[in-house]
Amino acid sequence: MEGGNRHIYLWVKRIQDVILSAMALVVFSPVLLLIALAVVIDDARGGPIFTQIRCGQEGKEFRLYKFRTMYADAERQLEELLPRNEMTGPVFKIKEDPRITRLGRFLRSTGLDELPQLINILKGDMSIVGPRPPLPREVSSYTPYQRQRLAVRPGLTCFWQVHPARNSLDFDTWVEMDLRYIREQSWLLDWKLIFFTIRAVLNREGM
């Protein structure tokens, strides 16, 4: 995409992000409230919203919002679980993570835990479509090649997010998917990924 066209694309994309995220927050407000209440009932030791520092475009840090899907002491348990990591590279993931609550497994399988990130999109921290925002400790281990995935604003969904076997993919494949999006990004591709995301949510392909 040439410079002038890219500038127009990014400008329109930002307007689209603001309009769609604001509309979604209004439309889904009853769902957001019900999920928040259910999270507290499921584990009353913590609040419904989990916040975490993530890295955005060019590594700029911001506070990301999610519905809490883990027990309140999950961060303290992480060090003990690191040897069981099933992902390559700096990312930590295990299939049977004992830190995830009963409700949390459902929220993750549907992607509903990500809904509070509509606020991040409205604020400009994120876009609807773009590479998922990594943790600072992950970025600190990136190679120069892997840091290229920070070249654009991170997103709520991306190629990796809609892949039905995403948690079986290694980190190098994940990076390649993100770099492909950065190379090929367009309005058509963005809307394709939004459509595939809706399909993934309905099919509960998040776990």
Side-chain angles (χ1 to χ4, degrees):
M1 189 180 296
E2 296 180 0
N5 290 337
R6 178 174 174 78
H7 179 75
I8 294 172
Y9 160 74
L10 292 175
W11 181 73
V12 174
K13 182 176 183 177
R14 178 58 190 150
I15 294 174
Q16 176 178 280
D17 283 344
V18 171
I19 293 173
L20 292 181
S21 60
M23 289 175 59
L25 283 168
V26 172
V27 171
F28 292 118
S29 57
V31 176
L32 295 169
L33 291 172
L34 285 174
I35 293 175
L37 179 60
V39 170
V40 173
I41 292 174
D42 193 44
D43 178 28
R45 293 176 298 170
I49 301 297
F50 174 72
T51 65
Q52 191 175 52
I53 299 300
R54 296 290 183 103
C55 292
Q57 189 170 9
E58 305 301 337
K60 181 181 178 182
E61 294 185 357
F62 68 95
R63 189 170 296 277
L64 176 137
Y65 306 108
K66 295 182 69 172
F67 280 120
R68 184 168 59 85
T69 59
M70 293 186 174
Y71 291 104
D73 60 348
E75 289 297 302
R76 289 197 297 272
Q77 297 181 44
L78 178 59
E79 288 298 323
E80 299 175 8
L81 295 172
L82 284 175
R84 294 170 53 186
N85 189 16
E86 298 171 0
M87 286 287 286
T88 57
V91 179
F92 175 80
K93 282 186 182 295
I94 55 176
K95 289 181 181 178
E96 300 298 327
D97 195 327
R99 301 173 300 162
I100 302 176
T101 65
R102 292 169 300 175
L103 177 63
R105 293 191 183 280
F106 170 76
L107 294 177
R108 287 188 175 206
S109 70
T110 57
L112 293 173
D113 61 317
E114 311 284 3
L115 282 178
Q117 286 160 48
L118 291 168
I119 298 172
N120 289 117
I121 295 170
L122 197 60
K123 290 171 59 181
D125 300 324
M126 295 173 59
S127 181
I128 293 176
V129 183
R132 291 296 294 158
L135 293 163
R137 63 175 171 80
E138 295 170 354
V139 172
S140 67
S141 300
Y142 278 7
T143 64
Y145 182 77
Q146 292 166 344
R147 284 192 67 90
Q148 292 181 88
R149 69 189 299 266
L150 303 176
V152 298
R153 191 173 299 181
L156 183 66
T157 190
C158 56
F159 280 120
W160 177 83
Q161 193 81 358
V162 301
H163 196 289
R166 71 187 195 194
N167 289 324
S168 300
L169 302 176
D170 61 30
F171 184 65
D172 288 338
T173 303
W174 186 351
V175 170
E176 289 304 319
M177 286 181 168
D178 287 339
L179 296 186
R180 175 190 167 192
Y181 172 74
I182 292 171
R183 290 192 304 269
E184 300 177 2
Q185 57 184 319
S186 65
W187 292 303
L188 179 59
L189 178 57
D190 286 346
W191 276 102
K192 282 184 178 179
L193 287 170
I194 290 170
F195 171 77
F196 290 148
T197 300
I198 295 171
R199 186 182 67 180
V201 168
L202 293 176
N203 292 336
R204 295 184 61 180
E205 296 173 354
M207 291 293 283

